[in-house]
């Protein structure tokens, strides 16, 4: 799975721009689970920036404000790992 993180994170980033709210919501739920449950693996194998880009994409989403707020919160948690 290590080689697949970049693809997974890229696909989830792209889904943040969908016009169908249900798709964005489902994709974000998966993105959130990955960012929280697998963050250590992602960071250890050099995909931290890809994870951050994915969360930024959801943070910029205007379709579902709650998703944008949650993504922003997750970005804050990622920042804590840098300290």
């Amino acid at each position: 799975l290590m080689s697949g993180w970049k693809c997974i994170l890229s696909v989830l980033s792209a889904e943040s721009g969908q016009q169908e709210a249900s798709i964005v919501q489902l994709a974000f739920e998966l993105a959130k689970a990955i960012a929280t449950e697998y963050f250590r693996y992602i960071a250890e194998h050099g995909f931290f920036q890809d994870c951050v880009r994915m969360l930024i994409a959801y943070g910029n989403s205007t379709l579902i404000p709650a998703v944008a707020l949650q993504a922003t919160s997750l970005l804050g948690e990622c920042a804590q790992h840098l300290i």
Side-chain angles (χ1 to χ4, degrees), residues 51-83:
C51 184
V52 167
R53 278 192 287 273
M54 174 190 69
L55 293 173
I56 288 171
Y58 284 100
N60 288 332
S61 175
T62 58
L63 188 61
I64 307 172
V67 164
L69 289 173
Q70 289 180 49
T72 303
S73 176
L74 287 171
L75 281 167
E77 291 177 26
C78 287
Q80 291 297 317
H81 290 280
L82 294 174
I83 298 173

Side-chain angles (χ1 to χ4, degrees), residues 11-34:
V11 167
L12 289 171
S13 293
E15 292 305 307
S16 71
Q18 292 289 323
Q19 296 302 311
E20 182 64 41
S22 61
I23 292 173
V24 174
Q25 184 67 49
L26 286 172
F28 178 69
E29 291 303 319
L30 180 57
K32 182 170 65 172
I34 288 171

